[in-house]
Amino acid sequence: MSTDDEKSRRIRSMFDRIGRRYDLLNHLLSGYSDILWRRSAVRALDASAGDLLLDVGIGTGDLALEALKGKRQPRLIIGVDTALQMMGIGRKKTVDSARQTIRFVGGRAESLPLRSGVFDGAMVAFGVRNFTDCAAGLRCMWRVLKPGGRLVVLELSVPRNPVIRPLYHLYARYVMPWVGGLISGDAEAYRYLQVSVEAFPERERFRTLMEGAGFVDTGWRDLSLGAATVYWGEKRI
Ligand SMILES: C[S@@+](CC[C@H](N)C(=O)[O-])C[C@H]1O[C@@H](n2cnc3c(N)ncnc32)[C@H](O)[C@@H]1O
């Protein structure tokens, strides 16, 4: 088994292990800001009514569900994830019309099992940090977008403000694994969360990765004093 396959397997089983408590911990550890961050991401996607959307790393479905809240209803949202149990929880949360509109599909971001050039928009919330090959994931999302299609990525970041940054480190290194461990029974997953956020090529570095994958008109904006960042770009050929 290659190291990429091994990382992918570890990430998948970690998310499947914490799945039951994932939504609760997201809300608690972010002070419920995760809801506002997803709302900002959906706004940045600026989808039109009737669009076909892709949600990579859909997990328990909160980003896709947020995309259904606006007036401009997408025609269909295809959610792709490696963690089947996370998607099982997401499926249970999608009721009424959302059940018809959101489809959960097993698959990897780096080799999306989808046709090229069909999606009007693609989005990822808190997922790219976990991809085994971020550049390959971005290239794959570029491939499946239509010309003119837009990608929005929401990801956690380390705040840049010199006063807030050390407080954030204290919180992320000590409080998050403790609370995460207490509630999910898996402190290691919440230690991984902090390590992966610190290792992530955030802001300008991620924008460069997006451009390397072919996206144009790229940009990013910090949210909540830089605890999260929303990135966007377009496929134009
Ligand atoms: C932190 S969760 C985010 C879930 C959801 N997007 C949200 O807003 O809460 C990250 C999700 O990405 C999935 N994931 C990680 N690596 C992936 C990959 N290479 N391909 C597809 N999904 C992946 C995980 O299984 C997990 O469900």
Side-chain angles (χ1 to χ4, degrees):
M1 195 186 275
S2 75
T3 46
D4 271 10
D5 289 343
E6 174 55 23
K7 182 180 172 192
S8 174
R9 194 195 56 75
R10 263 193 300 113
I11 301 279
R12 189 183 61 229
S13 74
M14 178 188 80
F15 278 109
D16 277 338
R17 272 198 319 275
I18 62 171
R20 238 165 28 90
R21 294 279 181 247
Y22 173 82
D23 288 346
L24 173 67
L25 275 162
N26 258 354
H27 301 331
L28 286 181
L29 294 173
S30 71
Y32 282 79
S33 298
D34 65 310
I35 297 170
L36 302 177
W37 296 340
R38 287 193 196 84
R39 198 166 298 159
S40 297
V42 167
R43 219 175 284 140
L45 189 65
D46 195 25
S48 302
D51 273 0
L52 175 60
L53 301 181
L54 171 67
D55 180 356
V56 180
I58 186 170
T60 57
D62 277 2
L63 182 65
L65 287 166
E66 185 62 46
L68 293 187
K69 285 186 185 158
K71 281 196 184 126
R72 290 183 255 163
Q73 287 289 301
R75 172 164 44 98
L76 188 64
I77 303 177
I78 305 286
V80 176
D81 204 298
T82 50
L84 301 184
Q85 298 200 33
M86 287 282 278
M87 288 197 290
I89 293 165
R91 245 184 230 110
K92 283 197 193 122
K93 278 160 58 179
T94 50
V95 289
D96 304 330
S97 61
R99 181 156 293 167
Q100 310 303 319
T101 315
I102 304 177
R103 301 281 157 78
F104 292 83
V105 177
R108 283 181 70 184
E110 296 84 349
S111 52
L112 290 170
L114 300 165
R115 278 175 45 209
S116 301
V118 291
F119 287 89
D120 300 289
M123 52 192 183
V124 192
F126 316 121
V128 289
R129 188 170 30 88
N130 303 295
F131 292 178
T132 40
D133 184 341
C134 196
L138 287 170
R139 283 196 301 274
C140 234
M141 289 189 277
W142 187 92
R143 175 180 68 73
V144 300
L145 279 171
K146 286 179 183 168
R150 204 167 154 78
L151 168 69
V152 166
V153 173
L154 172 64
E155 197 44 89
L156 297 172
S157 299
V158 178
R160 289 181 297 171
N161 180 299
V163 178
I164 295 179
R165 200 179 168 93
L167 298 175
Y168 165 84
H169 281 311
L170 277 179
Y171 178 70
R173 288 176 189 170
Y174 302 103
V175 180
M176 278 183 359
W178 182 68
V179 177
L182 212 62
I183 295 180
S184 73
D186 194 335
E188 199 44 53
Y190 287 85
R191 262 191 289 278
Y192 161 80
L193 170 66
Q194 172 261 324
V195 170
S196 64
V197 173
E198 290 188 17
F200 182 65
E202 56 193 19
R203 304 190 175 94
E204 275 307 302
R205 285 169 66 206
F206 188 71
R207 195 165 84 91
T208 306
L209 276 180
M210 287 179 77
E211 295 201 337
F215 289 97
V216 296
D217 289 341
T218 56
W220 57 268
R221 186 165 71 84
D222 273 344
L223 307 170
S224 303
L225 300 169
T229 305
V230 61
Y231 303 87
W232 58 85
E234 205 177 295
K235 171 173 179 173
R236 197 183 300 143
I237 44 172

PDB file of all heavy atoms in Angstrom, residues 8 11-12 15 22-23 26 38 55-63 80-83 86 107-110 124-127 129-132, ligand 1:
ATOM      1  N   SER A   8      -4.961   8.140   3.135  1.00  0.00           N
ATOM      2  CA  SER A   8      -6.380   8.194   2.786  1.00  0.00           C
ATOM      3  C   SER A   8      -7.201   7.259   3.694  1.00  0.00           C
ATOM      4  O   SER A   8      -8.265   7.624   4.183  1.00  0.00           O
ATOM      5  CB  SER A   8      -6.523   7.809   1.322  1.00  0.00           C
ATOM      6  OG  SER A   8      -7.844   7.716   0.970  1.00  0.00           O
ATOM      7  N   ILE A  11      -7.381   8.795   7.254  1.00  0.00           N
ATOM      8  CA  ILE A  11      -8.303   9.946   7.324  1.00  0.00           C
ATOM      9  C   ILE A  11      -9.749   9.446   7.292  1.00  0.00           C
ATOM     10  O   ILE A  11     -10.596   9.889   8.062  1.00  0.00           O
ATOM     11  CB  ILE A  11      -8.069  10.909   6.120  1.00  0.00           C
ATOM     12  CG1 ILE A  11      -6.634  11.431   6.113  1.00  0.00           C
ATOM     13  CG2 ILE A  11      -9.091  12.029   6.057  1.00  0.00           C
ATOM     14  CD1 ILE A  11      -6.357  12.570   7.021  1.00  0.00           C
ATOM     15  N   ARG A  12     -10.004   8.488   6.390  1.00  0.00           N
ATOM     16  CA  ARG A  12     -11.371   7.977   6.264  1.00  0.00           C
ATOM     17  C   ARG A  12     -11.838   7.340   7.566  1.00  0.00           C
ATOM     18  O   ARG A  12     -12.915   7.636   8.068  1.00  0.00           O
ATOM     19  CB  ARG A  12     -11.424   6.950   5.122  1.00  0.00           C
ATOM     20  CG  ARG A  12     -12.841   6.546   4.779  1.00  0.00           C
ATOM     21  CD  ARG A  12     -12.852   5.499   3.704  1.00  0.00           C
ATOM     22  NE  ARG A  12     -12.172   4.282   4.092  1.00  0.00           N
ATOM     23  CZ  ARG A  12     -11.265   3.651   3.372  1.00  0.00           C
ATOM     24  NH1 ARG A  12     -10.913   4.133   2.203  1.00  0.00           N
ATOM     25  NH2 ARG A  12     -10.710   2.537   3.797  1.00  0.00           N
ATOM     26  N   PHE A  15     -12.541  10.014  10.291  1.00  0.00           N
ATOM     27  CA  PHE A  15     -13.818  10.723  10.173  1.00  0.00           C
ATOM     28  C   PHE A  15     -14.984   9.789  10.479  1.00  0.00           C
ATOM     29  O   PHE A  15     -15.964  10.201  11.096  1.00  0.00           O
ATOM     30  CB  PHE A  15     -13.952  11.385   8.798  1.00  0.00           C
ATOM     31  CG  PHE A  15     -13.230  12.706   8.741  1.00  0.00           C
ATOM     32  CD1 PHE A  15     -12.072  12.854   8.006  1.00  0.00           C
ATOM     33  CD2 PHE A  15     -13.683  13.795   9.475  1.00  0.00           C
ATOM     34  CE1 PHE A  15     -11.383  14.067   7.979  1.00  0.00           C
ATOM     35  CE2 PHE A  15     -13.008  15.008   9.463  1.00  0.00           C
ATOM     36  CZ  PHE A  15     -11.859  15.145   8.709  1.00  0.00           C
ATOM     37  N   TYR A  22     -19.386  14.693  15.210  1.00  0.00           N
ATOM     38  CA  TYR A  22     -18.705  15.672  14.362  1.00  0.00           C
ATOM     39  C   TYR A  22     -19.424  17.031  14.317  1.00  0.00           C
ATOM     40  O   TYR A  22     -18.815  18.070  14.563  1.00  0.00           O
ATOM     41  CB  TYR A  22     -18.535  15.097  12.945  1.00  0.00           C
ATOM     42  CG  TYR A  22     -17.996  16.106  11.979  1.00  0.00           C
ATOM     43  CD1 TYR A  22     -16.634  16.375  11.913  1.00  0.00           C
ATOM     44  CD2 TYR A  22     -18.851  16.837  11.153  1.00  0.00           C
ATOM     45  CE1 TYR A  22     -16.139  17.347  11.046  1.00  0.00           C
ATOM     46  CE2 TYR A  22     -18.361  17.805  10.292  1.00  0.00           C
ATOM     47  CZ  TYR A  22     -17.018  18.045  10.245  1.00  0.00           C
ATOM     48  OH  TYR A  22     -16.527  19.015   9.399  1.00  0.00           O
ATOM     49  N   ASP A  23     -20.732  17.010  14.062  1.00  0.00           N
ATOM     50  CA  ASP A  23     -21.464  18.283  13.926  1.00  0.00           C
ATOM     51  C   ASP A  23     -21.437  19.059  15.234  1.00  0.00           C
ATOM     52  O   ASP A  23     -21.166  20.262  15.261  1.00  0.00           O
ATOM     53  CB  ASP A  23     -22.928  18.020  13.533  1.00  0.00           C
ATOM     54  CG  ASP A  23     -23.056  17.548  12.089  1.00  0.00           C
ATOM     55  OD1 ASP A  23     -22.073  17.676  11.333  1.00  0.00           O
ATOM     56  OD2 ASP A  23     -24.126  17.028  11.741  1.00  0.00           O
ATOM     57  N   ASN A  26     -18.020  20.533  15.863  1.00  0.00           N
ATOM     58  CA  ASN A  26     -17.791  21.668  14.953  1.00  0.00           C
ATOM     59  C   ASN A  26     -18.384  22.934  15.537  1.00  0.00           C
ATOM     60  O   ASN A  26     -17.749  23.982  15.574  1.00  0.00           O
ATOM     61  CB  ASN A  26     -18.514  21.412  13.623  1.00  0.00           C
ATOM     62  CG  ASN A  26     -17.570  20.969  12.550  1.00  0.00           C
ATOM     63  OD1 ASN A  26     -16.370  20.952  12.744  1.00  0.00           O
ATOM     64  ND2 ASN A  26     -18.118  20.605  11.418  1.00  0.00           N
ATOM     65  N   ARG A  38     -19.832  28.648   6.603  1.00  0.00           N
ATOM     66  CA  ARG A  38     -20.416  27.946   5.442  1.00  0.00           C
ATOM     67  C   ARG A  38     -21.321  28.884   4.656  1.00  0.00           C
ATOM     68  O   ARG A  38     -21.361  28.856   3.437  1.00  0.00           O
ATOM     69  CB  ARG A  38     -21.189  26.703   5.882  1.00  0.00           C
ATOM     70  CG  ARG A  38     -20.304  25.574   6.323  1.00  0.00           C
ATOM     71  CD  ARG A  38     -21.065  24.264   6.438  1.00  0.00           C
ATOM     72  NE  ARG A  38     -20.294  23.312   7.205  1.00  0.00           N
ATOM     73  CZ  ARG A  38     -20.277  23.254   8.531  1.00  0.00           C
ATOM     74  NH1 ARG A  38     -21.025  24.071   9.250  1.00  0.00           N
ATOM     75  NH2 ARG A  38     -19.529  22.368   9.158  1.00  0.00           N
ATOM     76  N   ASP A  55     -20.164  19.024  -4.106  1.00  0.00           N
ATOM     77  CA  ASP A  55     -19.640  19.292  -2.763  1.00  0.00           C
ATOM     78  C   ASP A  55     -18.630  18.177  -2.449  1.00  0.00           C
ATOM     79  O   ASP A  55     -19.018  17.039  -2.180  1.00  0.00           O
ATOM     80  CB  ASP A  55     -20.804  19.292  -1.757  1.00  0.00           C
ATOM     81  CG  ASP A  55     -20.352  19.574  -0.330  1.00  0.00           C
ATOM     82  OD1 ASP A  55     -19.128  19.698  -0.091  1.00  0.00           O
ATOM     83  OD2 ASP A  55     -21.236  19.657   0.546  1.00  0.00           O
ATOM     84  N   VAL A  56     -17.356  18.522  -2.506  1.00  0.00           N
ATOM     85  CA  VAL A  56     -16.319  17.496  -2.281  1.00  0.00           C
ATOM     86  C   VAL A  56     -15.963  17.455  -0.798  1.00  0.00           C
ATOM     87  O   VAL A  56     -15.740  18.487  -0.172  1.00  0.00           O
ATOM     88  CB  VAL A  56     -15.062  17.787  -3.132  1.00  0.00           C
ATOM     89  CG1 VAL A  56     -14.003  16.723  -2.891  1.00  0.00           C
ATOM     90  CG2 VAL A  56     -15.430  17.824  -4.617  1.00  0.00           C
ATOM     91  N   GLY A  57     -15.923  16.236  -0.237  1.00  0.00           N
ATOM     92  CA  GLY A  57     -15.737  16.089   1.205  1.00  0.00           C
ATOM     93  C   GLY A  57     -17.028  16.509   1.892  1.00  0.00           C
ATOM     94  O   GLY A  57     -17.013  17.235   2.883  1.00  0.00           O
ATOM     95  N   ILE A  58     -18.150  16.033   1.364  1.00  0.00           N
ATOM     96  CA  ILE A  58     -19.476  16.481   1.855  1.00  0.00           C
ATOM     97  C   ILE A  58     -19.695  16.105   3.314  1.00  0.00           C
ATOM     98  O   ILE A  58     -20.411  16.792   4.035  1.00  0.00           O
ATOM     99  CB  ILE A  58     -20.619  15.938   0.961  1.00  0.00           C
ATOM    100  CG1 ILE A  58     -21.966  16.518   1.391  1.00  0.00           C
ATOM    101  CG2 ILE A  58     -20.660  14.408   0.956  1.00  0.00           C
ATOM    102  CD1 ILE A  58     -23.121  16.248   0.452  1.00  0.00           C
ATOM    103  N   GLY A  59     -19.067  15.019   3.768  1.00  0.00           N
ATOM    104  CA  GLY A  59     -19.197  14.611   5.173  1.00  0.00           C
ATOM    105  C   GLY A  59     -20.643  14.460   5.584  1.00  0.00           C
ATOM    106  O   GLY A  59     -21.427  13.759   4.928  1.00  0.00           O
ATOM    107  N   THR A  60     -21.033  15.160   6.664  1.00  0.00           N
ATOM    108  CA  THR A  60     -22.401  15.038   7.180  1.00  0.00           C
ATOM    109  C   THR A  60     -23.357  16.021   6.493  1.00  0.00           C
ATOM    110  O   THR A  60     -24.479  16.202   6.966  1.00  0.00           O
ATOM    111  CB  THR A  60     -22.412  15.266   8.703  1.00  0.00           C
ATOM    112  OG1 THR A  60     -21.833  16.557   8.962  1.00  0.00           O
ATOM    113  CG2 THR A  60     -21.606  14.206   9.439  1.00  0.00           C
ATOM    114  N   GLY A  61     -22.888  16.682   5.448  1.00  0.00           N
ATOM    115  CA  GLY A  61     -23.799  17.404   4.552  1.00  0.00           C
ATOM    116  C   GLY A  61     -24.105  18.865   4.864  1.00  0.00           C
ATOM    117  O   GLY A  61     -24.928  19.475   4.167  1.00  0.00           O
ATOM    118  N   ASP A  62     -23.457  19.461   5.871  1.00  0.00           N
ATOM    119  CA  ASP A  62     -23.886  20.803   6.281  1.00  0.00           C
ATOM    120  C   ASP A  62     -23.676  21.878   5.211  1.00  0.00           C
ATOM    121  O   ASP A  62     -24.445  22.832   5.145  1.00  0.00           O
ATOM    122  CB  ASP A  62     -23.191  21.233   7.585  1.00  0.00           C
ATOM    123  CG  ASP A  62     -23.905  20.662   8.799  1.00  0.00           C
ATOM    124  OD1 ASP A  62     -24.899  19.924   8.614  1.00  0.00           O
ATOM    125  OD2 ASP A  62     -23.479  20.955   9.934  1.00  0.00           O
ATOM    126  N   LEU A  63     -22.638  21.755   4.393  1.00  0.00           N
ATOM    127  CA  LEU A  63     -22.416  22.774   3.352  1.00  0.00           C
ATOM    128  C   LEU A  63     -23.496  22.659   2.275  1.00  0.00           C
ATOM    129  O   LEU A  63     -24.074  23.665   1.854  1.00  0.00           O
ATOM    130  CB  LEU A  63     -21.014  22.621   2.743  1.00  0.00           C
ATOM    131  CG  LEU A  63     -20.646  23.658   1.691  1.00  0.00           C
ATOM    132  CD1 LEU A  63     -20.576  25.064   2.292  1.00  0.00           C
ATOM    133  CD2 LEU A  63     -19.307  23.322   1.023  1.00  0.00           C
ATOM    134  N   VAL A  80     -19.417  14.186  -2.695  1.00  0.00           N
ATOM    135  CA  VAL A  80     -18.468  13.066  -2.791  1.00  0.00           C
ATOM    136  C   VAL A  80     -17.647  13.019  -1.513  1.00  0.00           C
ATOM    137  O   VAL A  80     -17.216  14.050  -0.998  1.00  0.00           O
ATOM    138  CB  VAL A  80     -17.531  13.247  -4.009  1.00  0.00           C
ATOM    139  CG1 VAL A  80     -16.491  12.138  -4.063  1.00  0.00           C
ATOM    140  CG2 VAL A  80     -18.332  13.277  -5.295  1.00  0.00           C
ATOM    141  N   ASP A  81     -17.438  11.832  -0.997  1.00  0.00           N
ATOM    142  CA  ASP A  81     -16.624  11.672   0.214  1.00  0.00           C
ATOM    143  C   ASP A  81     -16.097  10.245   0.275  1.00  0.00           C
ATOM    144  O   ASP A  81     -16.687   9.330  -0.310  1.00  0.00           O
ATOM    145  CB  ASP A  81     -17.479  11.971   1.466  1.00  0.00           C
ATOM    146  CG  ASP A  81     -16.636  12.401   2.656  1.00  0.00           C
ATOM    147  OD1 ASP A  81     -15.801  11.599   3.126  1.00  0.00           O
ATOM    148  OD2 ASP A  81     -16.793  13.536   3.115  1.00  0.00           O
ATOM    149  N   THR A  82     -14.979  10.087   0.993  1.00  0.00           N
ATOM    150  CA  THR A  82     -14.435   8.745   1.187  1.00  0.00           C
ATOM    151  C   THR A  82     -15.061   8.067   2.415  1.00  0.00           C
ATOM    152  O   THR A  82     -15.051   6.842   2.508  1.00  0.00           O
ATOM    153  CB  THR A  82     -12.909   8.813   1.397  1.00  0.00           C
ATOM    154  OG1 THR A  82     -12.645   9.794   2.394  1.00  0.00           O
ATOM    155  CG2 THR A  82     -12.173   9.190   0.127  1.00  0.00           C
ATOM    156  N   ALA A  83     -15.552   8.875   3.352  1.00  0.00           N
ATOM    157  CA  ALA A  83     -16.032   8.324   4.636  1.00  0.00           C
ATOM    158  C   ALA A  83     -17.524   8.003   4.555  1.00  0.00           C
ATOM    159  O   ALA A  83     -18.379   8.887   4.646  1.00  0.00           O
ATOM    160  CB  ALA A  83     -15.752   9.324   5.759  1.00  0.00           C
ATOM    161  N   MET A  86     -19.757   9.015   7.632  1.00  0.00           N
ATOM    162  CA  MET A  86     -20.066  10.458   7.675  1.00  0.00           C
ATOM    163  C   MET A  86     -21.247  10.721   6.733  1.00  0.00           C
ATOM    164  O   MET A  86     -22.207  11.405   7.087  1.00  0.00           O
ATOM    165  CB  MET A  86     -18.863  11.288   7.213  1.00  0.00           C
ATOM    166  CG  MET A  86     -17.701  11.367   8.170  1.00  0.00           C
ATOM    167  SD  MET A  86     -17.941  12.517   9.540  1.00  0.00           S
ATOM    168  CE  MET A  86     -17.527  14.090   8.787  1.00  0.00           C
ATOM    169  N   GLY A 107     -16.273   8.357  -3.064  1.00  0.00           N
ATOM    170  CA  GLY A 107     -15.197   8.621  -4.027  1.00  0.00           C
ATOM    171  C   GLY A 107     -14.150   9.536  -3.429  1.00  0.00           C
ATOM    172  O   GLY A 107     -14.362  10.117  -2.373  1.00  0.00           O
ATOM    173  N   ARG A 108     -13.024   9.644  -4.142  1.00  0.00           N
ATOM    174  CA  ARG A 108     -11.909  10.465  -3.668  1.00  0.00           C
ATOM    175  C   ARG A 108     -11.784  11.735  -4.494  1.00  0.00           C
ATOM    176  O   ARG A 108     -11.927  11.689  -5.713  1.00  0.00           O
ATOM    177  CB  ARG A 108     -10.589   9.690  -3.796  1.00  0.00           C
ATOM    178  CG  ARG A 108     -10.387   8.665  -2.725  1.00  0.00           C
ATOM    179  CD  ARG A 108      -9.063   7.969  -2.909  1.00  0.00           C
ATOM    180  NE  ARG A 108      -7.957   8.869  -2.608  1.00  0.00           N
ATOM    181  CZ  ARG A 108      -6.675   8.547  -2.761  1.00  0.00           C
ATOM    182  NH1 ARG A 108      -6.351   7.367  -3.206  1.00  0.00           N
ATOM    183  NH2 ARG A 108      -5.733   9.400  -2.458  1.00  0.00           N
ATOM    184  N   ALA A 109     -11.446  12.829  -3.811  1.00  0.00           N
ATOM    185  CA  ALA A 109     -11.284  14.115  -4.495  1.00  0.00           C
ATOM    186  C   ALA A 109     -10.235  14.030  -5.591  1.00  0.00           C
ATOM    187  O   ALA A 109     -10.346  14.694  -6.624  1.00  0.00           O
ATOM    188  CB  ALA A 109     -10.857  15.165  -3.470  1.00  0.00           C
ATOM    189  N   GLU A 110      -9.225  13.205  -5.373  1.00  0.00           N
ATOM    190  CA  GLU A 110      -8.094  13.147  -6.309  1.00  0.00           C
ATOM    191  C   GLU A 110      -8.422  12.362  -7.569  1.00  0.00           C
ATOM    192  O   GLU A 110      -7.662  12.397  -8.541  1.00  0.00           O
ATOM    193  CB  GLU A 110      -6.874  12.507  -5.628  1.00  0.00           C
ATOM    194  CG  GLU A 110      -6.312  13.294  -4.450  1.00  0.00           C
ATOM    195  CD  GLU A 110      -7.031  13.027  -3.130  1.00  0.00           C
ATOM    196  OE1 GLU A 110      -8.113  12.388  -3.138  1.00  0.00           O
ATOM    197  OE2 GLU A 110      -6.516  13.460  -2.087  1.00  0.00           O
ATOM    198  N   VAL A 124     -15.947  23.068  -1.348  1.00  0.00           N
ATOM    199  CA  VAL A 124     -15.342  22.169  -0.355  1.00  0.00           C
ATOM    200  C   VAL A 124     -15.291  22.936   0.955  1.00  0.00           C
ATOM    201  O   VAL A 124     -14.798  24.065   0.987  1.00  0.00           O
ATOM    202  CB  VAL A 124     -13.872  21.805  -0.700  1.00  0.00           C
ATOM    203  CG1 VAL A 124     -13.395  20.652   0.169  1.00  0.00           C
ATOM    204  CG2 VAL A 124     -13.667  21.506  -2.159  1.00  0.00           C
ATOM    205  N   ALA A 125     -15.789  22.344   2.039  1.00  0.00           N
ATOM    206  CA  ALA A 125     -15.663  22.991   3.350  1.00  0.00           C
ATOM    207  C   ALA A 125     -14.846  22.100   4.263  1.00  0.00           C
ATOM    208  O   ALA A 125     -15.223  20.943   4.505  1.00  0.00           O
ATOM    209  CB  ALA A 125     -17.037  23.265   3.969  1.00  0.00           C
ATOM    210  N   PHE A 126     -13.755  22.603   4.747  1.00  0.00           N
ATOM    211  CA  PHE A 126     -12.877  21.920   5.712  1.00  0.00           C
ATOM    212  C   PHE A 126     -12.399  20.562   5.189  1.00  0.00           C
ATOM    213  O   PHE A 126     -12.168  19.641   5.972  1.00  0.00           O
ATOM    214  CB  PHE A 126     -13.593  21.736   7.067  1.00  0.00           C
ATOM    215  CG  PHE A 126     -14.331  22.961   7.523  1.00  0.00           C
ATOM    216  CD1 PHE A 126     -15.702  22.933   7.768  1.00  0.00           C
ATOM    217  CD2 PHE A 126     -13.652  24.152   7.694  1.00  0.00           C
ATOM    218  CE1 PHE A 126     -16.387  24.074   8.182  1.00  0.00           C
ATOM    219  CE2 PHE A 126     -14.326  25.304   8.107  1.00  0.00           C
ATOM    220  CZ  PHE A 126     -15.701  25.266   8.347  1.00  0.00           C
ATOM    221  N   GLY A 127     -12.280  20.455   3.874  1.00  0.00           N
ATOM    222  CA  GLY A 127     -11.913  19.172   3.280  1.00  0.00           C
ATOM    223  C   GLY A 127     -10.516  19.156   2.675  1.00  0.00           C
ATOM    224  O   GLY A 127      -9.774  18.190   2.850  1.00  0.00           O
ATOM    225  N   ARG A 129      -7.684  20.346   3.282  1.00  0.00           N
ATOM    226  CA  ARG A 129      -6.596  20.113   4.249  1.00  0.00           C
ATOM    227  C   ARG A 129      -6.344  18.618   4.442  1.00  0.00           C
ATOM    228  O   ARG A 129      -5.231  18.214   4.793  1.00  0.00           O
ATOM    229  CB  ARG A 129      -7.052  20.754   5.564  1.00  0.00           C
ATOM    230  CG  ARG A 129      -6.102  20.836   6.667  1.00  0.00           C
ATOM    231  CD  ARG A 129      -6.675  21.718   7.777  1.00  0.00           C
ATOM    232  NE  ARG A 129      -8.119  21.736   7.895  1.00  0.00           N
ATOM    233  CZ  ARG A 129      -8.829  20.879   8.614  1.00  0.00           C
ATOM    234  NH1 ARG A 129      -8.238  19.918   9.263  1.00  0.00           N
ATOM    235  NH2 ARG A 129     -10.146  20.980   8.672  1.00  0.00           N
ATOM    236  N   ASN A 130      -7.384  17.824   4.205  1.00  0.00           N
ATOM    237  CA  ASN A 130      -7.272  16.382   4.441  1.00  0.00           C
ATOM    238  C   ASN A 130      -6.956  15.584   3.178  1.00  0.00           C
ATOM    239  O   ASN A 130      -6.712  14.377   3.263  1.00  0.00           O
ATOM    240  CB  ASN A 130      -8.585  15.854   5.029  1.00  0.00           C
ATOM    241  CG  ASN A 130      -8.962  16.577   6.292  1.00  0.00           C
ATOM    242  OD1 ASN A 130      -8.256  16.477   7.282  1.00  0.00           O
ATOM    243  ND2 ASN A 130     -10.041  17.339   6.263  1.00  0.00           N
ATOM    244  N   PHE A 131      -7.014  16.239   2.019  1.00  0.00           N
ATOM    245  CA  PHE A 131      -6.741  15.499   0.786  1.00  0.00           C
ATOM    246  C   PHE A 131      -5.317  14.954   0.850  1.00  0.00           C
ATOM    247  O   PHE A 131      -4.415  15.627   1.351  1.00  0.00           O
ATOM    248  CB  PHE A 131      -6.835  16.406  -0.447  1.00  0.00           C
ATOM    249  CG  PHE A 131      -8.217  16.919  -0.775  1.00  0.00           C
ATOM    250  CD1 PHE A 131      -8.397  17.790  -1.844  1.00  0.00           C
ATOM    251  CD2 PHE A 131      -9.330  16.535  -0.050  1.00  0.00           C
ATOM    252  CE1 PHE A 131      -9.651  18.278  -2.167  1.00  0.00           C
ATOM    253  CE2 PHE A 131     -10.597  17.025  -0.365  1.00  0.00           C
ATOM    254  CZ  PHE A 131     -10.749  17.896  -1.423  1.00  0.00           C
ATOM    255  N   THR A 132      -5.123  13.756   0.289  1.00  0.00           N
ATOM    256  CA  THR A 132      -3.755  13.216   0.260  1.00  0.00           C
ATOM    257  C   THR A 132      -2.915  13.991  -0.749  1.00  0.00           C
ATOM    258  O   THR A 132      -1.717  14.143  -0.564  1.00  0.00           O
ATOM    259  CB  THR A 132      -3.756  11.717  -0.101  1.00  0.00           C
ATOM    260  OG1 THR A 132      -4.717  11.502  -1.108  1.00  0.00           O
ATOM    261  CG2 THR A 132      -4.045  10.867   1.086  1.00  0.00           C
TER     262      THR A 132
HETATM  263  C1  LIG B   1     -13.823  18.128   8.203  1.00  0.00           C
HETATM  264  S1  LIG B   1     -14.934  17.164   7.253  1.00  0.00           S
HETATM  265  C2  LIG B   1     -15.940  18.384   6.477  1.00  0.00           C
HETATM  266  C3  LIG B   1     -17.342  17.932   6.207  1.00  0.00           C
HETATM  267  C4  LIG B   1     -18.280  18.986   5.622  1.00  0.00           C
HETATM  268  N1  LIG B   1     -17.813  19.488   4.358  1.00  0.00           N
HETATM  269  C5  LIG B   1     -18.532  20.127   6.566  1.00  0.00           C
HETATM  270  O1  LIG B   1     -18.703  21.249   6.092  1.00  0.00           O
HETATM  271  O2  LIG B   1     -18.622  19.915   7.776  1.00  0.00           O
HETATM  272  C6  LIG B   1     -13.893  16.671   5.932  1.00  0.00           C
HETATM  273  C7  LIG B   1     -14.510  15.606   5.055  1.00  0.00           C
HETATM  274  O3  LIG B   1     -13.666  15.443   3.905  1.00  0.00           O
HETATM  275  C8  LIG B   1     -13.585  14.064   3.631  1.00  0.00           C
HETATM  276  N2  LIG B   1     -12.351  13.805   2.877  1.00  0.00           N
HETATM  277  C9  LIG B   1     -11.079  13.860   3.323  1.00  0.00           C
HETATM  278  N3  LIG B   1     -10.215  13.568   2.352  1.00  0.00           N
HETATM  279  C10 LIG B   1     -10.971  13.323   1.250  1.00  0.00           C
HETATM  280  C11 LIG B   1     -10.645  12.977  -0.104  1.00  0.00           C
HETATM  281  N4  LIG B   1      -9.393  12.832  -0.481  1.00  0.00           N
HETATM  282  N5  LIG B   1     -11.656  12.803  -0.973  1.00  0.00           N
HETATM  283  C12 LIG B   1     -12.962  12.962  -0.583  1.00  0.00           C
HETATM  284  N6  LIG B   1     -13.316  13.281   0.685  1.00  0.00           N
HETATM  285  C13 LIG B   1     -12.335  13.472   1.575  1.00  0.00           C
HETATM  286  C14 LIG B   1     -13.590  13.396   4.999  1.00  0.00           C
HETATM  287  O4  LIG B   1     -13.948  12.036   4.925  1.00  0.00           O
HETATM  288  C15 LIG B   1     -14.597  14.252   5.738  1.00  0.00           C
HETATM  289  O5  LIG B   1     -15.909  13.758   5.648  1.00  0.00           O
END
